[in-house]
Amino acid sequence: DDYVTTSKIETVINLNISSSMIGDITGIEDFTALEILDFSMNGVGNFDLSSNVALKELYCASNGMNGINVAANTNLEILDCSNNFNQTINVTTNTNLKELDAANNGANAIVIGANSLLEVLNVPNNNVSTLNISTVVNLTTLNCDTNYNLNITDFSMLTNLINLNVNSTSLNSID
């Protein structure tokens, strides 16, 4: 009947609606207990997750969206917003973030902030020229290839780094 009462959804913690040909997720704000949300590979352009403060994992890849705001989702541990058109990706308030996949967005800015828990940063195929990773001390994997103008000047704090991909960037040396 095209609707679900709030009392039936307010305890749902995991919702996977990926590849479901959905263009609008209006009503998602009523899923207040939601910890894992996957709506990848749909056509969702705009969405508001500010009421979904329990979210720990968000998968919204391949939707064609051109903006993402996860400022209210401070419990996020995993964010996959890859394969979209997000010009700016800002995760400064997401201090519990462990994995960020923002590949293939064409983003001009990826703002990480003091995310000291971040372990995996996957940001290839964007247009960023700077990426401040000086406070991301737990980073084990950094993939920032094909950011042609990218210049990272300080790798010294990345003592846990195991995997590094900086192909097709403007890096001349790694200290």
Side-chain angles (χ1 to χ4, degrees):
D1 54 10
D2 283 342
Y3 74 94
V4 181
T5 60
T6 302
S7 62
K8 291 185 178 183
I9 61 174
E10 61 191 5
T11 59
V12 174
I13 60 169
N14 186 343
L15 181 62
N16 185 337
I17 51 174
S18 62
S19 303
S20 298
M21 298 174 56
I22 295 171
D24 187 346
I25 58 170
T26 300
I28 200 72
E29 64 274 2
D30 293 329
F31 289 77
T32 54
L34 205 55
E35 294 180 6
I36 302 169
L37 174 60
D38 186 347
F39 62 93
S40 298
M41 295 179 284
N42 282 293
V44 178
N46 296 315
F47 55 91
D48 180 3
L49 300 175
S50 60
S51 296
N52 305 95
V53 294
L55 269 181
K56 291 182 179 179
E57 299 179 23
L58 175 59
Y59 306 93
C60 53
S62 304
N63 272 290
M65 64 183 163
N66 59 13
I68 184 168
N69 182 349
V70 289
N73 308 107
T74 57
N75 290 314
L76 269 184
E77 296 175 5
I78 299 172
L79 172 59
D80 180 357
C81 60
S82 60
N83 303 309
N84 285 294
F85 302 103
N86 296 306
Q87 291 299 301
T88 299
I89 299 163
N90 186 333
V91 292
T92 55
T93 62
N94 309 104
T95 55
N96 290 311
L97 203 60
K98 293 179 182 173
E99 296 180 26
L100 173 60
D101 187 349
N104 308 313
N105 271 283
N108 295 316
I110 298 174
V111 185
I112 306 215
N115 276 304
S116 61
L117 298 179
L118 195 63
E119 297 172 359
V120 176
L121 180 57
N122 190 45
V123 293
N125 300 311
N126 285 293
N127 295 317
V128 295
S129 57
T130 59
L131 189 61
N132 184 352
I133 54 173
S134 61
T135 60
V136 196
V137 295
N138 286 314
L139 206 61
T140 60
T141 299
L142 173 59
N143 180 1
C144 53
D145 76 276
T146 320
N147 282 279
Y148 297 108
N149 297 315
L150 180 64
N151 191 7
I152 300 173
T153 57
D154 187 6
F155 286 89
S156 63
M157 300 300 290
L158 303 180
T159 57
N160 295 314
L161 197 62
I162 298 168
N163 301 302
L164 175 63
N165 185 347
V166 291
N167 293 329
S168 301
T169 65
S170 60
L171 292 177
N172 294 323
S173 67
I174 297 176
D175 296 325

